[in-house]
Amino acid sequence: MTNNSVTQSQAPASTLQLALWSHEPEQQDGDARQTNAVGLYDLAPRFVFASGERGGEDRRDNAHVESVTRSFAYNGEPYVITLDPARVTRRVRADAEDGGPAKYKTVRIEALPGEREQVVEEVIRRLATERTRLMLVDGDNRRNAKVQMRFSFYEIQKELSRVRRTLSITEIKEALLILSKTFLTIEQPADHPGGSATLLQSTAFPVVAMRGGKGVSVRLDDDGEVGGNTETYLEFNPLVAKAIMSLKFQSISYEMLMKIRNPVSWWLYKSLSLHYHNSGDVEPMEIRAGDIITNSGMNRSKRHRDTLRAIKVAVEVLVTQGVLAGYEKESERGAGPEIVDVTYALRPSEQFLEQIRRGKALAEQNARTLRQLAQPEDLDDQGRPRGPIPIDRASESALRRDRRSLLKRVEMEVPVIDAAAQG
């Protein structure tokens, strides 16, 4: 393996933002497991689900995959995302001679993240909410501290198995390599009224490294074997790290999310979660099929009516999974009889709204805790943290007690329409 050592300068262990990002053990059991969503990053069409666009099994020997550029909207603002493919090696089966034993060869491919990588990233994010998983490095620079996470491949594999998504250690390694090597650029277009702005130029995980001999960390690469129990760590990209450190994330139901197998339904679930988290009412969310097609990154069929049918299937999946109580739709026709667009009114279920109420209550408590524990110099003009805020062990323990108490009473005491997190 290439000599690619990684050095660390670790920040103080007890940091207010990391404590508020984590979820209590009571939230990690059964159907109560939660994860945290990061609005723009999670809703950007970062995954390519059409097999012809990525280095999938049907293109295992293809040495080149084109970059993908997509326009999308978030909170009414236009954005452009560009995905430059990762280059990885893959061991594939070669044709055996005269019925002899199977042979294998190593090929170099280019690949873009797809459904497998989406699921692996989501599992990592859920594991990151467990207490003591995260740490800050380069903590001497308050504004640029990086957020890293410790884990093992077996832990990812075990969690994938629990949610009935079986992958081998080799497949998990390849998914992480693709996530850590696919370069993402998210920016506002040049013709945006406020001017062009680049929000992210990075990979999902800029660093994925393993503990080597004598405590030296070595970057994960294509070479060599990966031990399932080897201590491994990764670094979150600047957009996710900034969301953690500025407390701009929302708690959503991980269990509901992982029961969804349709990638368009997955995107719709996150869209619904973020919409109701920021909304003061529980009226049906209206969304056009054209916006789903543009913003979700879904695969478009050659016939538009087949794409519209796929969206209807995705909506009905959410009804089946108990996310929606139902929906209404209104078709829009062009000059002829063909349907050109459909407007959906999605009615959230009581079970889903219960999860929204829980997430809003946690967000409000996070805001209160920040006001109580931060010093004036720790906050900017908008009341957001300027950098890592150290807290002592007693304050951290009190924070966790308050959160446990909140979760015990939130079901009865926090109406959905009154618990909207502000800021």
Side-chain angles (χ1 to χ4, degrees), residues 250-269:
Q250 295 82 36
S251 173
I252 66 173
S253 172
Y254 172 78
E255 294 302 315
M256 273 190 173
L257 178 65
M258 297 305 283
K259 289 175 182 176
I260 297 168
R261 300 303 179 108
N262 182 307
V264 182
S265 306
W266 181 299
W267 181 88
L268 277 171
Y269 173 79

Side-chain angles (χ1 to χ4, degrees), residues 103-129:
K103 295 183 178 180
Y104 293 86
K105 62 180 179 178
T106 299
V107 297
R108 190 79 172 174
I109 65 165
E110 292 186 348
L112 291 165
E115 189 173 356
R116 179 187 64 178
E117 287 72 33
Q118 183 183 50
V119 171
V120 168
E121 183 181 27
E122 201 63 50
V123 164
I124 288 169
R125 287 265 292 278
R126 208 288 296 168
L127 292 175
T129 66

Side-chain angles (χ1 to χ4, degrees), residues 360-406:
K360 287 183 173 182
L362 286 171
E364 283 204 331
Q365 188 191 55
N366 285 353
R368 288 194 299 270
T369 303
L370 177 64
R371 291 192 295 268
Q372 291 167 1
L373 298 182
Q375 299 299 317
E377 61 270 19
D378 292 327
L379 307 178
D380 62 20
D381 294 340
Q382 296 181 331
R384 294 287 183 187
R386 295 180 185 276
I389 300 175
I391 56 173
D392 57 39
R393 298 296 183 185
S395 296
E396 187 175 8
S397 297
L399 180 159
R400 299 190 188 286
R401 285 196 303 272
D402 290 345
R403 178 167 288 193
R404 285 193 293 269
S405 177
L406 173 74

Side-chain angles (χ1 to χ4, degrees), residues 1-7 181 207-210 216-221 233:
M1 182 177 289
T2 306
N3 185 10
N4 225 343
S5 335
V6 180
T7 58
K181 291 185 175 186
V207 174
V208 182
M210 299 178 296
V216 175
S217 295
V218 182
R219 289 181 188 270
L220 181 69
D221 210 335
Y233 69 89

